């Protein structure tokens, strides 16, 4: 006689639900994001998603938090407080170029979902605080790197760098030429990252 499987802890279920919701959004957009669809795709008992996230707004907020967690893990490598700041602009450009390449290749679907989910906050004011909170940690990491590189106003420079990074990702993933561009090239992305860093660090 087989022993019933022990249900995963609540924290693991929340993570599973968020990861599944993100995958559904990446594959089919927000129209496919329902509590029932998440239950089915995650192989969870019916009603599980609504038990942990009662509303669609709560579910999308969980996606924001999980996306931020995954992006920070990419930035930090191990999810800790982060690696030592790069020694110079060249090292910082290599770090950012590597990150951009990761997000345009293995992390492509996750970034597409992030853009889809971010647009939803523009239509639903209830989601704006969750989206803002999710974006703060990455900007804090960027500000720390820019401060180490000598930025006089690192927080402002981090805002610019985040905007340029998002713009590059969006253009390569969903822009007018996204499907006709060659595969992402690490060297080309590192060169673009260096230009972005130089602009962010330029005197006002």
């Amino acid at each position: 006689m087989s022993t019933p499987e022990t249900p995963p802890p609540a924290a693991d279920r929340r993570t599973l639900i968020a990861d599944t919701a993100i995958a559904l959004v990446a594959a089919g957009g927000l129209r496919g994001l329902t509590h029932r669809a998440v239950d089915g795709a995650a192989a969870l008992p019916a009603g599980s998603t609504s038990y942990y996230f009662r509303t669609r707004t709560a579910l999308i907020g969980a996606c924001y938090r999980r996306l931020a967690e995954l992006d920070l893990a990419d930035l930090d490598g191990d999810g800790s407080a982060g690696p030592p700041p790069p020694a110079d602009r060249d090292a910082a450009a290599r770090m950012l170029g590597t990150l951009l390449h990761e997000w345009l290749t293995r992390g492509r679907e996750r970034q597409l979902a992030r853009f889809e989910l971010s647009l939803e906050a523009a239509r639903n004011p209830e989601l704006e605080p969750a989206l803002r909170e999710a974006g703060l940690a990455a900007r804090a990491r960027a500000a720390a790197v820019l401060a180490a590189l000598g930025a006089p106003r690192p927080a402002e420079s981090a805002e610019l760098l985040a905007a340029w990074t998002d713009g590059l990702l969006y253009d390569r993933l969903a822009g007018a030429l996204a499907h006709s561009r060659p595969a992402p090239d690490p060297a080309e992305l590192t060169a673009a990252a260096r230009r972005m860093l130089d602009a962010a660090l330029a005197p006002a």
Side-chain angles (χ1 to χ4, degrees):
M1 179 173 155
S2 62
T3 304
E5 291 186 12
T6 303
D12 291 345
R13 279 204 173 191
R14 288 176 180 272
T15 299
L16 172 62
I17 288 168
D19 285 343
T20 303
I22 290 165
L24 285 172
V25 172
L30 280 163
R31 287 180 298 180
L33 182 62
T34 66
H35 289 75
R36 181 178 296 180
V38 174
D39 287 341
L44 290 171
S48 296
T49 299
S50 62
Y51 175 81
Y52 290 102
F53 305 104
R54 296 296 300 172
T55 65
R56 196 167 187 265
T57 296
L59 180 58
I60 292 174
C63 292
Y64 291 153
R65 290 187 291 275
R66 179 59 174 160
L67 286 165
E69 179 184 339
L70 292 168
D71 284 349
L72 284 178
D74 288 341
L75 284 166
D76 297 341
D78 60 1
S80 67
D88 53 33
R89 293 189 189 189
D90 286 338
R94 288 192 297 272
M95 182 180 72
L96 181 54
T98 298
L99 192 62
L100 288 167
H101 187 263
E102 170 72 14
W103 287 345
L104 288 169
T105 53
R106 289 196 304 163
R108 178 180 183 275
E109 298 304 313
R110 191 207 316 164
Q111 296 305 316
L112 284 171
R114 185 169 67 84
F115 287 124
E116 289 264 10
L117 290 159
S118 296
L119 287 171
E120 187 66 11
R123 305 182 187 98
N124 183 352
E126 292 182 45
L127 287 168
E128 194 277 332
L131 177 62
R132 181 178 183 278
E133 181 182 353
L136 288 177
R139 283 165 170 75
R141 294 285 199 282
V145 169
L146 292 166
L149 294 173
R153 292 186 294 277
E156 292 179 23
S157 297
E159 287 290 334
L160 288 173
L161 188 59
W164 291 330
T165 299
D166 271 352
L168 186 149
L169 288 170
Y170 184 88
D171 181 63
R172 300 300 175 89
L173 292 171
L177 304 180
H179 298 293
S180 60
R181 287 184 182 276
D185 175 69
E188 184 263 338
L189 291 169
T190 296
R194 176 58 192 260
R195 291 195 296 273
M196 289 193 293
L197 285 166
D198 286 345
L201 290 164

